[in-house]
Amino acid sequence: MRKLLTLVWALALAMVLTGCQSAYYGAMEKVGVHKRDILVDRVDDARDAQSDAQEEFKSALQRLDELLQFDGGELEARYNALNDDYESSKSAAERVYDRIEAIDDVAQALFDEWQDELELYSNDTMRRESERSLRATERRYTSLLQSMERAAATMDPVLSKLQDNVLYLKHNLNAKAVDAIRGEYRSLSNDVDLLIREMETAIQESNAFIESMQEGSQ
């Protein structure tokens, strides 16, 4: 019975959220802001979130490198700085995932609306041209989404390793603990390098997608 109630609540919540989004899109259209515009804005926001995430992860790696240079100074202060950078990196990663989810929500709403409106054409030539444009936009969007999701996935192993290091140092704040995590640094550095490359690719795809959408609206 409890599982059934949980399922009912989950479905009800999904319906409410969907309804809220639909109402939002409808309200925005009434003031001249269409789903296409919202999609471009959200891709732009995601691009900025990815750029911020790059910087946060690079900062955390640099902070860990500084901690590994420990030579008898104030280790606790360095640990606290590393922990702050880890928390900032985690928040940045959450923003990236949130932005990707928001993009996909409006993109699917746009494509569904576009597909439905193809049936309203009386001019076959115009309908076929609009359908070609829809399919091309869907292909570009699919490529963009895959690039964003691939880049986002590279954050997970970095966060896991940062968390391991932070937790280990928290309970073993001494020179011996620093020596123990020193061997993990190269692996973490390689993961961050991969993250940065994938983020750069996703950012470039975001720029290209925004440009194509803006050209298509002219």
Side-chain angles (χ1 to χ4, degrees), residues 66-112:
E66 292 172 359
L67 187 146
L68 294 178
Q69 308 307 316
F70 170 74
D71 58 359
E74 184 51 63
L75 184 56
E76 184 173 0
R78 295 192 183 190
Y79 161 77
N80 289 333
L82 174 63
N83 186 54
D84 288 344
D85 278 348
Y86 163 68
E87 292 295 339
S88 295
S89 297
K90 186 165 68 171
S91 296
E94 291 171 355
R95 286 194 296 274
V96 169
Y97 279 115
D98 287 345
R99 298 299 186 274
I100 293 173
E101 184 176 351
I103 287 171
D104 199 44
D105 184 271
V106 70
Q108 298 309 320
L110 170 64
F111 296 146
D112 287 345

mmCIF file of all heavy atoms in Angstrom, residues 66-112:
data_model
loop_
_atom_site.group_PDB
_atom_site.id
_atom_site.type_symbol
_atom_site.label_atom_id
_atom_site.label_comp_id
_atom_site.label_asym_id
_atom_site.label_seq_id
_atom_site.Cartn_x
_atom_site.Cartn_y
_atom_site.Cartn_z
ATOM 1 N N GLU A 66 48.729 22.375 -3.888
ATOM 2 C CA GLU A 66 49.346 23.209 -2.856
ATOM 3 C C GLU A 66 49.426 22.452 -1.528
ATOM 4 O O GLU A 66 50.420 22.558 -0.800
ATOM 5 C CB GLU A 66 48.533 24.494 -2.677
ATOM 6 C CG GLU A 66 48.603 25.435 -3.883
ATOM 7 C CD GLU A 66 47.642 26.593 -3.755
ATOM 8 O OE1 GLU A 66 46.906 26.657 -2.744
ATOM 9 O OE2 GLU A 66 47.602 27.432 -4.677
ATOM 10 N N LEU A 67 48.373 21.693 -1.231
ATOM 11 C CA LEU A 67 48.376 20.933 0.021
ATOM 12 C C LEU A 67 49.459 19.867 0.001
ATOM 13 O O LEU A 67 50.105 19.593 1.023
ATOM 14 C CB LEU A 67 46.999 20.308 0.242
ATOM 15 C CG LEU A 67 46.769 19.613 1.581
ATOM 16 C CD1 LEU A 67 45.324 19.789 2.038
ATOM 17 C CD2 LEU A 67 47.083 18.115 1.490
ATOM 18 N N LEU A 68 49.690 19.279 -1.172
ATOM 19 C CA LEU A 68 50.699 18.221 -1.279
ATOM 20 C C LEU A 68 52.117 18.761 -1.150
ATOM 21 O O LEU A 68 53.062 17.988 -0.977
ATOM 22 C CB LEU A 68 50.538 17.479 -2.616
ATOM 23 C CG LEU A 68 49.245 16.672 -2.765
ATOM 24 C CD1 LEU A 68 49.177 16.028 -4.140
ATOM 25 C CD2 LEU A 68 49.134 15.612 -1.675
ATOM 26 N N GLN A 69 52.252 20.076 -1.251
ATOM 27 C CA GLN A 69 53.568 20.696 -1.058
ATOM 28 C C GLN A 69 53.827 20.963 0.427
ATOM 29 O O GLN A 69 54.776 21.667 0.784
ATOM 30 C CB GLN A 69 53.662 22.020 -1.840
ATOM 31 C CG GLN A 69 53.301 21.925 -3.314
ATOM 32 C CD GLN A 69 54.055 20.846 -4.048
ATOM 33 O OE1 GLN A 69 55.273 20.706 -3.856
ATOM 34 N NE2 GLN A 69 53.354 20.082 -4.867
ATOM 35 N N PHE A 70 52.968 20.405 1.268
ATOM 36 C CA PHE A 70 53.059 20.599 2.721
ATOM 37 C C PHE A 70 54.477 20.339 3.230
ATOM 38 O O PHE A 70 55.074 19.297 2.956
ATOM 39 C CB PHE A 70 52.090 19.640 3.417
ATOM 40 C CG PHE A 70 52.249 19.579 4.901
ATOM 41 C CD1 PHE A 70 51.809 20.619 5.701
ATOM 42 C CD2 PHE A 70 52.852 18.479 5.509
ATOM 43 C CE1 PHE A 70 51.952 20.556 7.074
ATOM 44 C CE2 PHE A 70 52.997 18.414 6.888
ATOM 45 C CZ PHE A 70 52.538 19.457 7.679
ATOM 46 N N ASP A 71 54.998 21.337 3.943
ATOM 47 C CA ASP A 71 56.361 21.197 4.470
ATOM 48 C C ASP A 71 56.435 21.608 5.931
ATOM 49 O O ASP A 71 57.450 22.125 6.400
ATOM 50 C CB ASP A 71 57.332 22.037 3.637
ATOM 51 C CG ASP A 71 56.955 23.512 3.620
ATOM 52 O OD1 ASP A 71 55.926 23.864 4.247
ATOM 53 O OD2 ASP A 71 57.670 24.300 2.971
ATOM 54 N N GLY A 72 55.336 21.375 6.641
ATOM 55 C CA GLY A 72 55.337 21.711 8.068
ATOM 56 C C GLY A 72 54.575 22.970 8.386
ATOM 57 O O GLY A 72 54.555 23.401 9.538
ATOM 58 N N GLY A 73 53.929 23.564 7.385
ATOM 59 C CA GLY A 73 53.145 24.776 7.614
ATOM 60 C C GLY A 73 51.790 24.467 8.223
ATOM 61 O O GLY A 73 51.606 23.424 8.866
ATOM 62 N N GLU A 74 50.853 25.356 8.033
ATOM 63 C CA GLU A 74 49.524 25.205 8.608
ATOM 64 C C GLU A 74 48.682 24.277 7.741
ATOM 65 O O GLU A 74 48.045 24.700 6.788
ATOM 66 C CB GLU A 74 48.841 26.576 8.742
ATOM 67 C CG GLU A 74 47.479 26.540 9.425
ATOM 68 C CD GLU A 74 47.508 25.790 10.746
ATOM 69 O OE1 GLU A 74 48.215 26.228 11.671
ATOM 70 O OE2 GLU A 74 46.804 24.757 10.825
ATOM 71 N N LEU A 75 48.683 23.000 8.078
ATOM 72 C CA LEU A 75 47.985 21.998 7.270
ATOM 73 C C LEU A 75 46.473 22.155 7.354
ATOM 74 O O LEU A 75 45.765 21.977 6.366
ATOM 75 C CB LEU A 75 48.394 20.595 7.725
ATOM 76 C CG LEU A 75 47.821 19.420 6.925
ATOM 77 C CD1 LEU A 75 48.169 19.550 5.455
ATOM 78 C CD2 LEU A 75 48.338 18.096 7.476
ATOM 79 N N GLU A 76 45.958 22.504 8.523
ATOM 80 C CA GLU A 76 44.496 22.614 8.678
ATOM 81 C C GLU A 76 43.920 23.701 7.779
ATOM 82 O O GLU A 76 42.852 23.531 7.185
ATOM 83 C CB GLU A 76 44.142 22.903 10.137
ATOM 84 C CG GLU A 76 42.637 22.929 10.367
ATOM 85 C CD GLU A 76 42.267 23.047 11.840
ATOM 86 O OE1 GLU A 76 43.196 23.104 12.679
ATOM 87 O OE2 GLU A 76 41.061 23.069 12.135
ATOM 88 N N ALA A 77 44.622 24.807 7.656
ATOM 89 C CA ALA A 77 44.137 25.891 6.796
ATOM 90 C C ALA A 77 44.084 25.443 5.339
ATOM 91 O O ALA A 77 43.142 25.766 4.607
ATOM 92 C CB ALA A 77 45.044 27.117 6.934
ATOM 93 N N ARG A 78 45.085 24.671 4.932
ATOM 94 C CA ARG A 78 45.103 24.173 3.559
ATOM 95 C C ARG A 78 43.983 23.155 3.334
ATOM 96 O O ARG A 78 43.372 23.117 2.270
ATOM 97 C CB ARG A 78 46.464 23.547 3.238
ATOM 98 C CG ARG A 78 47.610 24.551 3.253
ATOM 99 C CD ARG A 78 48.867 23.959 2.664
ATOM 100 N NE ARG A 78 49.990 24.897 2.729
ATOM 101 C CZ ARG A 78 51.147 24.714 2.119
ATOM 102 N NH1 ARG A 78 51.353 23.617 1.400
ATOM 103 N NH2 ARG A 78 52.115 25.599 2.222
ATOM 104 N N TYR A 79 43.760 22.350 4.358
ATOM 105 C CA TYR A 79 42.653 21.387 4.249
ATOM 106 C C TYR A 79 41.321 22.113 4.115
ATOM 107 O O TYR A 79 40.470 21.752 3.291
ATOM 108 C CB TYR A 79 42.611 20.466 5.477
ATOM 109 C CG TYR A 79 41.275 19.799 5.630
ATOM 110 C CD1 TYR A 79 40.911 18.716 4.826
ATOM 111 C CD2 TYR A 79 40.321 20.299 6.537
ATOM 112 C CE1 TYR A 79 39.658 18.127 4.925
ATOM 113 C CE2 TYR A 79 39.069 19.721 6.645
ATOM 114 C CZ TYR A 79 38.742 18.643 5.837
ATOM 115 O OH TYR A 79 37.497 18.074 5.924
ATOM 116 N N ASN A 80 41.102 23.129 4.931
ATOM 117 C CA ASN A 80 39.845 23.882 4.876
ATOM 118 C C ASN A 80 39.638 24.521 3.510
ATOM 119 O O ASN A 80 38.512 24.546 2.985
ATOM 120 C CB ASN A 80 39.817 24.952 5.969
ATOM 121 C CG ASN A 80 39.660 24.355 7.355
ATOM 122 O OD1 ASN A 80 39.103 23.269 7.515
ATOM 123 N ND2 ASN A 80 40.170 25.053 8.363
ATOM 124 N N ALA A 81 40.714 25.037 2.929
ATOM 125 C CA ALA A 81 40.618 25.647 1.603
ATOM 126 C C ALA A 81 40.265 24.585 0.554
ATOM 127 O O ALA A 81 39.452 24.822 -0.346
ATOM 128 C CB ALA A 81 41.932 26.332 1.239
ATOM 129 N N LEU A 82 40.879 23.395 0.680
ATOM 130 C CA LEU A 82 40.577 22.300 -0.244
ATOM 131 C C LEU A 82 39.124 21.863 -0.095
ATOM 132 O O LEU A 82 38.430 21.636 -1.102
ATOM 133 C CB LEU A 82 41.498 21.112 0.027
ATOM 134 C CG LEU A 82 41.189 19.832 -0.779
ATOM 135 C CD1 LEU A 82 41.373 20.075 -2.269
ATOM 136 C CD2 LEU A 82 42.081 18.679 -0.308
ATOM 137 N N ASN A 83 38.649 21.762 1.124
ATOM 138 C CA ASN A 83 37.262 21.359 1.364
ATOM 139 C C ASN A 83 36.295 22.379 0.762
ATOM 140 O O ASN A 83 35.269 22.007 0.169
ATOM 141 C CB ASN A 83 37.007 21.223 2.859
ATOM 142 C CG ASN A 83 35.631 20.673 3.156
ATOM 143 O OD1 ASN A 83 35.242 19.623 2.666
ATOM 144 N ND2 ASN A 83 34.862 21.416 3.957
ATOM 145 N N ASP A 84 36.614 23.661 0.900
ATOM 146 C CA ASP A 84 35.770 24.712 0.313
ATOM 147 C C ASP A 84 35.714 24.563 -1.207
ATOM 148 O O ASP A 84 34.644 24.713 -1.826
ATOM 149 C CB ASP A 84 36.309 26.100 0.678
ATOM 150 C CG ASP A 84 36.068 26.454 2.137
ATOM 151 O OD1 ASP A 84 35.238 25.779 2.782
ATOM 152 O OD2 ASP A 84 36.724 27.392 2.632
ATOM 153 N N ASP A 85 36.856 24.297 -1.813
ATOM 154 C CA ASP A 85 36.893 24.139 -3.274
ATOM 155 C C ASP A 85 36.140 22.887 -3.709
ATOM 156 O O ASP A 85 35.500 22.873 -4.765
ATOM 157 C CB ASP A 85 38.347 24.071 -3.762
ATOM 158 C CG ASP A 85 38.956 25.453 -3.899
ATOM 159 O OD1 ASP A 85 38.202 26.431 -3.848
ATOM 160 O OD2 ASP A 85 40.180 25.548 -4.066
ATOM 161 N N TYR A 86 36.214 21.832 -2.897
ATOM 162 C CA TYR A 86 35.452 20.618 -3.214
ATOM 163 C C TYR A 86 33.955 20.914 -3.184
ATOM 164 O O TYR A 86 33.213 20.516 -4.098
ATOM 165 C CB TYR A 86 35.782 19.508 -2.223
ATOM 166 C CG TYR A 86 34.757 18.396 -2.222
ATOM 167 C CD1 TYR A 86 34.614 17.551 -3.324
ATOM 168 C CD2 TYR A 86 33.900 18.224 -1.135
ATOM 169 C CE1 TYR A 86 33.653 16.545 -3.335
ATOM 170 C CE2 TYR A 86 32.947 17.227 -1.141
ATOM 171 C CZ TYR A 86 32.824 16.395 -2.241
ATOM 172 O OH TYR A 86 31.862 15.423 -2.252
ATOM 173 N N GLU A 87 33.498 21.619 -2.156
ATOM 174 C CA GLU A 87 32.074 21.948 -2.046
ATOM 175 C C GLU A 87 31.636 22.853 -3.200
ATOM 176 O O GLU A 87 30.530 22.691 -3.739
ATOM 177 C CB GLU A 87 31.789 22.637 -0.710
ATOM 178 C CG GLU A 87 31.964 21.735 0.510
ATOM 179 C CD GLU A 87 30.957 20.589 0.546
ATOM 180 O OE1 GLU A 87 29.902 20.706 -0.109
ATOM 181 O OE2 GLU A 87 31.230 19.586 1.232
ATOM 182 N N SER A 88 32.504 23.778 -3.592
ATOM 183 C CA SER A 88 32.183 24.651 -4.722
ATOM 184 C C SER A 88 32.102 23.858 -6.024
ATOM 185 O O SER A 88 31.243 24.111 -6.870
ATOM 186 C CB SER A 88 33.240 25.754 -4.852
ATOM 187 O OG SER A 88 33.215 26.615 -3.733
ATOM 188 N N SER A 89 33.004 22.885 -6.177
ATOM 189 C CA SER A 89 32.992 22.035 -7.367
ATOM 190 C C SER A 89 31.718 21.202 -7.420
ATOM 191 O O SER A 89 31.108 21.034 -8.482
ATOM 192 C CB SER A 89 34.216 21.112 -7.382
ATOM 193 O OG SER A 89 35.406 21.852 -7.467
ATOM 194 N N LYS A 90 31.310 20.687 -6.273
ATOM 195 C CA LYS A 90 30.088 19.883 -6.213
ATOM 196 C C LYS A 90 28.869 20.732 -6.579
ATOM 197 O O LYS A 90 27.996 20.280 -7.330
ATOM 198 C CB LYS A 90 29.925 19.282 -4.816
ATOM 199 C CG LYS A 90 28.764 18.312 -4.703
ATOM 200 C CD LYS A 90 28.846 17.477 -3.435
ATOM 201 C CE LYS A 90 28.635 18.319 -2.202
ATOM 202 N NZ LYS A 90 28.509 17.483 -0.972
ATOM 203 N N SER A 91 28.817 21.954 -6.073
ATOM 204 C CA SER A 91 27.702 22.844 -6.399
ATOM 205 C C SER A 91 27.703 23.201 -7.882
ATOM 206 O O SER A 91 26.644 23.262 -8.525
ATOM 207 C CB SER A 91 27.789 24.129 -5.562
ATOM 208 O OG SER A 91 27.643 23.845 -4.182
ATOM 209 N N ALA A 92 28.891 23.411 -8.432
ATOM 210 C CA ALA A 92 28.996 23.730 -9.855
ATOM 211 C C ALA A 92 28.514 22.564 -10.708
ATOM 212 O O ALA A 92 27.839 22.753 -11.731
ATOM 213 C CB ALA A 92 30.440 24.085 -10.207
ATOM 214 N N ALA A 93 28.853 21.344 -10.290
ATOM 215 C CA ALA A 93 28.406 20.155 -11.031
ATOM 216 C C ALA A 93 26.887 20.032 -10.991
ATOM 217 O O ALA A 93 26.245 19.699 -11.999
ATOM 218 C CB ALA A 93 29.048 18.903 -10.437
ATOM 219 N N GLU A 94 26.298 20.314 -9.830
ATOM 220 C CA GLU A 94 24.840 20.253 -9.710
ATOM 221 C C GLU A 94 24.175 21.277 -10.622
ATOM 222 O O GLU A 94 23.135 20.992 -11.240
ATOM 223 C CB GLU A 94 24.427 20.488 -8.255
ATOM 224 C CG GLU A 94 24.810 19.340 -7.326
ATOM 225 C CD GLU A 94 24.603 19.676 -5.862
ATOM 226 O OE1 GLU A 94 24.253 20.836 -5.561
ATOM 227 O OE2 GLU A 94 24.806 18.782 -5.012
ATOM 228 N N ARG A 95 24.774 22.456 -10.743
ATOM 229 C CA ARG A 95 24.215 23.477 -11.637
ATOM 230 C C ARG A 95 24.267 23.018 -13.087
ATOM 231 O O ARG A 95 23.325 23.253 -13.860
ATOM 232 C CB ARG A 95 24.960 24.805 -11.471
ATOM 233 C CG ARG A 95 24.636 25.542 -10.189
ATOM 234 C CD ARG A 95 25.133 26.978 -10.224
ATOM 235 N NE ARG A 95 26.576 27.060 -10.310
ATOM 236 C CZ ARG A 95 27.390 27.038 -9.269
ATOM 237 N NH1 ARG A 95 26.898 26.908 -8.037
ATOM 238 N NH2 ARG A 95 28.693 27.146 -9.411
ATOM 239 N N VAL A 96 25.351 22.369 -13.460
ATOM 240 C CA VAL A 96 25.464 21.867 -14.839
ATOM 241 C C VAL A 96 24.357 20.865 -15.127
ATOM 242 O O VAL A 96 23.676 20.948 -16.158
ATOM 243 C CB VAL A 96 26.848 21.220 -15.073
ATOM 244 C CG1 VAL A 96 26.861 20.458 -16.409
ATOM 245 C CG2 VAL A 96 27.941 22.281 -15.072
ATOM 246 N N TYR A 97 24.152 19.916 -14.221
ATOM 247 C CA TYR A 97 23.099 18.911 -14.422
ATOM 248 C C TYR A 97 21.720 19.563 -14.472
ATOM 249 O O TYR A 97 20.864 19.165 -15.278
ATOM 250 C CB TYR A 97 23.154 17.858 -13.315
ATOM 251 C CG TYR A 97 24.203 16.793 -13.540
ATOM 252 C CD1 TYR A 97 25.287 16.656 -12.678
ATOM 253 C CD2 TYR A 97 24.114 15.921 -14.624
ATOM 254 C CE1 TYR A 97 26.253 15.669 -12.885
ATOM 255 C CE2 TYR A 97 25.070 14.933 -14.831
ATOM 256 C CZ TYR A 97 26.127 14.815 -13.965
ATOM 257 O OH TYR A 97 27.079 13.847 -14.181
ATOM 258 N N ASP A 98 21.501 20.549 -13.603
ATOM 259 C CA ASP A 98 20.209 21.245 -13.600
ATOM 260 C C ASP A 98 19.972 21.971 -14.921
ATOM 261 O O ASP A 98 18.851 21.953 -15.462
ATOM 262 C CB ASP A 98 20.154 22.261 -12.449
ATOM 263 C CG ASP A 98 20.010 21.592 -11.084
ATOM 264 O OD1 ASP A 98 19.664 20.395 -11.043
ATOM 265 O OD2 ASP A 98 20.258 22.273 -10.073
ATOM 266 N N ARG A 99 21.012 22.606 -15.440
ATOM 267 C CA ARG A 99 20.872 23.350 -16.709
ATOM 268 C C ARG A 99 20.579 22.395 -17.867
ATOM 269 O O ARG A 99 19.769 22.707 -18.747
ATOM 270 C CB ARG A 99 22.145 24.144 -17.004
ATOM 271 C CG ARG A 99 22.519 25.199 -15.989
ATOM 272 C CD ARG A 99 21.444 26.280 -15.832
ATOM 273 N NE ARG A 99 21.887 27.350 -14.971
ATOM 274 C CZ ARG A 99 21.786 27.348 -13.637
ATOM 275 N NH1 ARG A 99 21.239 26.298 -13.041
ATOM 276 N NH2 ARG A 99 22.212 28.356 -12.915
ATOM 277 N N ILE A 100 21.238 21.241 -17.866
ATOM 278 C CA ILE A 100 20.998 20.265 -18.935
ATOM 279 C C ILE A 100 19.555 19.775 -18.888
ATOM 280 O O ILE A 100 18.884 19.658 -19.921
ATOM 281 C CB ILE A 100 21.980 19.078 -18.828
ATOM 282 C CG1 ILE A 100 23.410 19.544 -19.128
ATOM 283 C CG2 ILE A 100 21.583 17.964 -19.786
ATOM 284 C CD1 ILE A 100 24.466 18.486 -18.896
ATOM 285 N N GLU A 101 19.051 19.517 -17.692
ATOM 286 C CA GLU A 101 17.665 19.063 -17.543
ATOM 287 C C GLU A 101 16.687 20.130 -18.035
ATOM 288 O O GLU A 101 15.704 19.817 -18.710
ATOM 289 C CB GLU A 101 17.393 18.726 -16.075
ATOM 290 C CG GLU A 101 16.006 18.150 -15.828
ATOM 291 C CD GLU A 101 15.787 17.743 -14.383
ATOM 292 O OE1 GLU A 101 16.763 17.746 -13.605
ATOM 293 O OE2 GLU A 101 14.642 17.424 -14.042
ATOM 294 N N ALA A 102 16.970 21.387 -17.703
ATOM 295 C CA ALA A 102 16.093 22.483 -18.136
ATOM 296 C C ALA A 102 16.101 22.627 -19.657
ATOM 297 O O ALA A 102 15.064 22.907 -20.272
ATOM 298 C CB ALA A 102 16.540 23.791 -17.477
ATOM 299 N N ILE A 103 17.273 22.428 -20.265
ATOM 300 C CA ILE A 103 17.386 22.497 -21.720
ATOM 301 C C ILE A 103 16.526 21.419 -22.370
ATOM 302 O O ILE A 103 15.759 21.685 -23.307
ATOM 303 C CB ILE A 103 18.855 22.323 -22.166
ATOM 304 C CG1 ILE A 103 19.661 23.577 -21.850
ATOM 305 C CG2 ILE A 103 18.948 22.016 -23.668
ATOM 306 C CD1 ILE A 103 21.149 23.396 -22.052
ATOM 307 N N ASP A 104 16.634 20.202 -21.870
ATOM 308 C CA ASP A 104 15.912 19.100 -22.498
ATOM 309 C C ASP A 104 14.410 19.263 -22.345
ATOM 310 O O ASP A 104 13.638 18.881 -23.235
ATOM 311 C CB ASP A 104 16.366 17.764 -21.903
ATOM 312 C CG ASP A 104 16.016 16.595 -22.807
ATOM 313 O OD1 ASP A 104 16.224 16.706 -24.027
ATOM 314 O OD2 ASP A 104 15.526 15.573 -22.305
ATOM 315 N N ASP A 105 13.978 19.842 -21.239
ATOM 316 C CA ASP A 105 12.551 20.052 -21.029
ATOM 317 C C ASP A 105 11.973 20.960 -22.104
ATOM 318 O O ASP A 105 10.966 20.632 -22.739
ATOM 319 C CB ASP A 105 12.309 20.652 -19.641
ATOM 320 C CG ASP A 105 10.825 20.798 -19.337
ATOM 321 O OD1 ASP A 105 10.241 21.847 -19.660
ATOM 322 O OD2 ASP A 105 10.249 19.853 -18.788
ATOM 323 N N VAL A 106 12.589 22.109 -22.323
ATOM 324 C CA VAL A 106 12.047 23.050 -23.308
ATOM 325 C C VAL A 106 12.270 22.549 -24.727
ATOM 326 O O VAL A 106 11.445 22.778 -25.622
ATOM 327 C CB VAL A 106 12.634 24.462 -23.099
ATOM 328 C CG1 VAL A 106 14.113 24.507 -23.475
ATOM 329 C CG2 VAL A 106 11.859 25.478 -23.937
ATOM 330 N N ALA A 107 13.370 21.830 -24.962
ATOM 331 C CA ALA A 107 13.641 21.304 -26.298
ATOM 332 C C ALA A 107 12.551 20.317 -26.712
ATOM 333 O O ALA A 107 12.024 20.384 -27.841
ATOM 334 C CB ALA A 107 15.003 20.631 -26.355
ATOM 335 N N GLN A 108 12.188 19.410 -25.804
ATOM 336 C CA GLN A 108 11.149 18.432 -26.138
ATOM 337 C C GLN A 108 9.802 19.115 -26.343
ATOM 338 O O GLN A 108 9.024 18.726 -27.228
ATOM 339 C CB GLN A 108 11.053 17.364 -25.038
ATOM 340 C CG GLN A 108 12.314 16.545 -24.849
ATOM 341 C CD GLN A 108 12.846 15.964 -26.152
ATOM 342 O OE1 GLN A 108 12.084 15.511 -27.016
ATOM 343 N NE2 GLN A 108 14.166 15.968 -26.303
ATOM 344 N N ALA A 109 9.524 20.139 -25.545
ATOM 345 C CA ALA A 109 8.275 20.889 -25.720
ATOM 346 C C ALA A 109 8.255 21.589 -27.073
ATOM 347 O O ALA A 109 7.228 21.611 -27.768
ATOM 348 C CB ALA A 109 8.110 21.914 -24.591
ATOM 349 N N LEU A 110 9.383 22.156 -27.460
ATOM 350 C CA LEU A 110 9.489 22.834 -28.759
ATOM 351 C C LEU A 110 9.294 21.856 -29.903
ATOM 352 O O LEU A 110 8.526 22.125 -30.845
ATOM 353 C CB LEU A 110 10.855 23.516 -28.874
ATOM 354 C CG LEU A 110 11.218 24.067 -30.270
ATOM 355 C CD1 LEU A 110 10.256 25.174 -30.683
ATOM 356 C CD2 LEU A 110 12.663 24.571 -30.283
ATOM 357 N N PHE A 111 9.973 20.714 -29.849
ATOM 358 C CA PHE A 111 9.887 19.753 -30.949
ATOM 359 C C PHE A 111 8.484 19.149 -31.056
ATOM 360 O O PHE A 111 7.993 18.913 -32.167
ATOM 361 C CB PHE A 111 10.934 18.654 -30.773
ATOM 362 C CG PHE A 111 12.350 19.155 -30.838
ATOM 363 C CD1 PHE A 111 13.351 18.577 -30.067
ATOM 364 C CD2 PHE A 111 12.688 20.218 -31.665
ATOM 365 C CE1 PHE A 111 14.655 19.049 -30.127
ATOM 366 C CE2 PHE A 111 13.995 20.696 -31.723
ATOM 367 C CZ PHE A 111 14.977 20.102 -30.955
ATOM 368 N N ASP A 112 7.840 18.905 -29.927
ATOM 369 C CA ASP A 112 6.473 18.377 -29.952
ATOM 370 C C ASP A 112 5.519 19.386 -30.596
ATOM 371 O O ASP A 112 4.665 19.014 -31.424
ATOM 372 C CB ASP A 112 5.989 18.054 -28.531
ATOM 373 C CG ASP A 112 6.661 16.812 -27.956
ATOM 374 O OD1 ASP A 112 7.274 16.048 -28.729
ATOM 375 O OD2 ASP A 112 6.583 16.618 -26.724
#
